[in-house]
Amino acid sequence: GAVAVLALVLSTSSAIAKPQFVDWQSWDFYNEPDAPVGVSYVWSADYGGIKFPNKRTRVLRVRAPATSGYWRATTLNAFYDDHWEEELIPEVALEGDGSFVNLSADPLLPSSARDPDNWRQARVTIEALRDHHLVGASIPVAYDTNDLRGIFFASGGIGLAERPLRRGDEYTVWNYSPRPRPSALARSQPNYPFEILEEGRYLAVERGVTPPAFGSPDRQAWLRERFAFDRQLRPYEPLFRQAVQVAGQADNPYAAVVALEAWFRSGGGFSYDETPRVAPPGTAPLVFFLRSKEGYCQHFAGAMALM
């Protein structure tokens, strides 16, 4: 449980503890022998470095199939002010009875996600993680919150509680994990649903600025014009030019993703570093990362998503 949550936190947040708990930079889950304390997080990206604790404690206890390998509490889905952050979109497509809530009607989920035969169940017990988010295997499609009160849901299967969860709280979450073949992904085309193409969901590169989606004929021209006149977006022009160089010839979304992944993994000369050099004042952290070529999960995922 501790390993899974640490992996989840480091992949989705800066893991900054609130003052009344422990400073994440000097994580020590025990303030005296055998006296565990709670841990809470602020869910936003930060590029200042990470440090693992020397001691361990169990923060969640989970009973789930071995195939439930990727755990998450939220998604950082909006890029504002040089970092990715959580922008909650209230979920209105809810079905259920009593404490059971079915989220599989989300329009961004495939039809196969609506078949309960494709779901996997996990029972989660809170031990030492104090947070508002309901952690579950990706992608959560249904919850049974039992006796928990004040639970609401956001798009993407995100569940939240009005008060921080406490030790002993329990809930059940079902997830859907698609496993398409690479050959099927290679045939994918940029045919996006209304929520992405028209509403611009997940496409913002700063507040109020949403570029045309992948595959739009005027996309590169639109971006070049923005770089010329938008002072806030202009610092990201080097990142844009690098993206065009690496994946500009891709004819579908999957080809672009594969090209970028290969470049970050092996072709670009990057190294994994949990205490990388910090961007100097006035330099966008993810743009500096492309220059320094050293960083951890937030740098790699954040830069790749933005590119």
Side-chain angles (χ1 to χ4, degrees):
V3 173
V5 170
L6 285 173
L8 137 75
V9 168
L10 295 178
S11 67
T12 57
S13 81
S14 57
I16 305 174
K18 296 181 180 178
Q20 65 267 35
F21 291 94
V22 292
D23 182 352
W24 76 280
Q25 291 282 13
S26 57
W27 258 346
D28 186 344
F29 291 128
Y30 296 89
N31 50 21
E32 59 185 53
D34 300 320
V37 298
V39 180
S40 61
Y41 306 107
V42 175
W43 298 95
S44 60
D46 181 278
Y47 305 104
I50 54 176
K51 182 180 179 180
F52 282 96
N54 293 323
K55 298 179 180 179
R56 296 183 180 183
T57 192
R58 185 165 59 190
V59 293
L60 293 176
R61 185 170 70 249
V62 178
R63 296 185 295 277
T67 54
S68 303
Y70 178 74
W71 290 81
R72 44 144 273 198
T74 191
T75 56
L76 305 183
N77 55 0
F79 189 79
Y80 300 139
D81 303 324
D82 295 330
H83 70 280
W84 289 92
E85 62 183 55
E86 177 188 52
E87 184 175 74
L88 296 175
I89 303 169
E91 180 60 79
V92 295
L94 299 178
E95 300 177 3
D97 182 24
S99 60
F100 176 80
V101 175
N102 185 345
L103 305 171
S104 65
D106 187 321
L108 298 185
L109 287 174
S111 58
S112 54
R114 299 177 180 90
D115 184 354
D117 289 339
N118 296 328
W119 299 356
R120 297 293 180 268
Q121 177 180 322
R123 180 74 171 175
V124 180
T125 303
I126 305 297
E127 297 226 347
L129 177 67
R130 172 173 283 193
D131 199 278
H132 293 268
H133 296 78
L134 304 182
V135 177
S138 186
I139 302 168
V141 291
Y143 289 88
D144 188 340
T145 55
N146 299 314
D147 296 328
L148 299 180
R149 294 291 181 264
I151 305 297
F152 64 99
F153 300 92
S155 180
I158 299 169
L160 301 106
E162 291 180 350
R163 63 163 176 81
L165 299 175
R166 300 166 183 165
R167 185 173 288 111
D169 283 346
E170 291 187 330
Y171 59 90
T172 303
V173 55
W174 288 263
N175 77 291
Y176 168 76
S177 297
R179 291 179 174 81
R181 295 180 180 274
S183 58
L185 292 171
R187 294 192 297 270
S188 65
Q189 296 301 314
N191 300 322
Y192 300 108
F194 174 86
E195 289 74 16
I196 291 178
L197 197 60
E198 301 299 329
E199 294 182 357
R201 191 179 297 186
Y202 308 130
L203 296 182
V205 292
E206 65 177 63
R207 299 187 190 278
V209 177
T210 302
F214 184 96
S216 302
D218 58 343
R219 188 165 187 264
Q220 291 196 19
W222 186 95
L223 282 165
R224 290 191 175 96
E225 183 178 351
R226 295 296 304 205
F227 290 131
F229 297 103
D230 189 329
R231 292 185 178 181
Q232 188 172 351
L233 197 59
R234 190 178 301 160
Y236 287 92
E237 186 171 10
L239 186 145
F240 164 73
R241 293 188 181 279
Q242 185 66 66
V244 172
Q245 181 179 337
V246 173
Q249 301 303 312
D251 58 4
N252 64 51
Y254 182 65
V257 168
V258 169
L260 288 169
E261 181 186 25
W263 185 70
F264 278 111
R265 185 183 296 276
S266 58
F270 290 87
S271 61
Y272 182 86
D273 192 329
E274 293 172 357
T275 56
R277 289 174 287 170
V278 178
T283 302
L286 293 181
V287 175
F288 180 72
F289 167 60
L290 294 193
R291 267 202 325 259
S292 68
K293 297 186 180 298
E294 57 188 36
Y296 49 96
C297 49
Q298 289 183 4
H299 295 84
F300 285 90
M304 181 173 169
L306 192 58
M307 292 172 73

